[in-house]
Amino acid sequence: MRAGQIAEEFPVVGVETSALVAARLIAQGRQPGIVVTGADGSPKAVLPASQVVRIMVPDYVQADPALARVLGEVSAEKIAERLRRATVADLLPEPPMDLAVVKPDDSLIEAAAIMARLRSPLCAVVDGKRVVGVITAAHLLGLVCRDEPS
Amino acid sequence: MRAGQIAEEFPVVGVETSALVAARLIAQGRQPGIVVTGADGSPKAVLPASQVVRIMVPDYVQADPALARVLGEVSAEKIAERLRRATVADLLPEPPMDLAVVKPDDSLIEAAAIMARLRSPLCAVVDGKRVVGVITAAHLLGLVCRDEPS
């Protein structure tokens, strides 16, 4: 079985996409993250879900996490407003997370190897410059465990 | 809203749990990872899905990723057999991934802050030593984006 055969359709976003759109795509699919593409459609980065929630946290709490304990509630409206004002580019971690990429005819072992090495919860399946889909680590495990007795 | 109110039931595993059981739990829930507890039930680590797929990769390919290109298919049966022989302890990354933990009465901002800081796709909600549930970054984003116009 080859990577291209098991790649799943996956929403990809550009760096200029609204952070709210990216957040909603991650939430709806309960995804570990999302692939970010450049203007030419080629994959540029993985935006992990953990970096999108960063925008929920006021800057002064990011600087001093102890302040979170004394912080009152921040309303969902306020957080959504922060997401609406930000773009995907604002959320990308620095240094960037290495992008795990395989080709459609790569084996599932190659997909597993690159996800393990980069500690990435997903890899993009890329044909030339085009992202044809994504494989998550959980999906790969599902294929392996299928029909297997314990 | 407090962490304890939104914590979801989440399968937890011990370090002695079979890797196959852990893999199946991750695959079934399409989880980004799973919480590993010690003998007393207290949380010890996060086992990310990306580290479970590592066991799909033969040792000599882990040592030299270029070998994956020349490697033939490895059957699902063989990989499941590797998972069956291994335990969760065998899969935990070294150095270990920091465990994101919040208390049930912590705010959602605190949960977001710790996931962002540790780049963790989930955090455990812990009451004393007991894991009462888990919050994923995707879940948190779903709560924030709910009912929000784009």
Side-chain angles (χ1 to χ4, degrees), chain A residues 136-148:
Chain A
T136 64
H139 181 196
L140 214 47
L141 291 174
L143 291 173
V144 170
C145 298
R146 198 172 47 187
D147 309 326
E148 277 300 311

Side-chain angles (χ1 to χ4, degrees), chain A residues 120-132:
Chain A
S120 175
L122 58 90
C123 69
V125 182
V126 177
D127 194 2
K129 283 192 161 184
R130 199 173 55 90
V131 180
V132 297

Side-chain angles (χ1 to χ4, degrees), chain A residues 1-2 8 20-24 26-27 30-32 49-54 56-58 61 65 68-69 71-74 76-77 79-81 83-84 93-97 103 106-113 115-117 119-121 136-145 147-150, chain B residues 1-2 8 20-24 26-27 30-32 49-54 56-58 61 65 68-69 71-74 76-77 79-81 83-84 93-97 103 106-113 115-117 119-121 136-145 147-150:
Chain A
M1 211 182 284
R2 297 284 137 181
E8 298 180 293
L20 184 62
V21 170
R24 197 174 274 140
I26 288 173
R30 308 215 84 181
Q31 300 293 0
S50 66
Q51 296 308 294
V52 184
V53 297
R54 191 160 48 93
M56 296 174 59
V57 186
V61 175
R69 306 224 151 250
L71 181 76
E73 296 276 342
V74 177
E77 292 72 35
I79 294 166
E81 184 52 41
L83 282 167
R84 202 177 285 113
E94 199 57 56
M97 191 170 170
K103 296 198 294 290
D106 282 345
S107 70
L108 304 192
I109 301 297
E110 285 171 89
M115 282 192 265
R117 188 162 59 80
R119 298 196 173 197
S120 175
T136 64
H139 181 196
L140 214 47
L141 291 174
L143 291 173
V144 170
C145 298
D147 309 326
E148 277 300 311
S150 293
Chain B
M1 212 183 282
R2 298 284 137 181
E8 298 180 294
L20 184 62
V21 170
R24 197 173 277 140
I26 288 173
R30 309 214 83 181
Q31 300 293 359
S50 66
Q51 295 309 293
V52 184
V53 298
R54 190 161 49 94
M56 295 174 59
V57 185
V61 176
R69 305 226 149 248
L71 180 77
E73 296 276 343
V74 176
E77 292 72 33
I79 294 167
E81 183 53 39
L83 281 167
R84 202 177 284 112
E94 198 59 58
M97 191 170 170
K103 297 199 292 293
D106 282 345
S107 71
L108 305 192
I109 301 298
E110 285 172 87
M115 282 192 265
R117 189 163 58 82
R119 298 197 172 195
S120 174
T136 64
H139 181 195
L140 215 46
L141 291 174
L143 292 173
V144 170
C145 298
D147 309 327
E148 276 302 312
S150 292

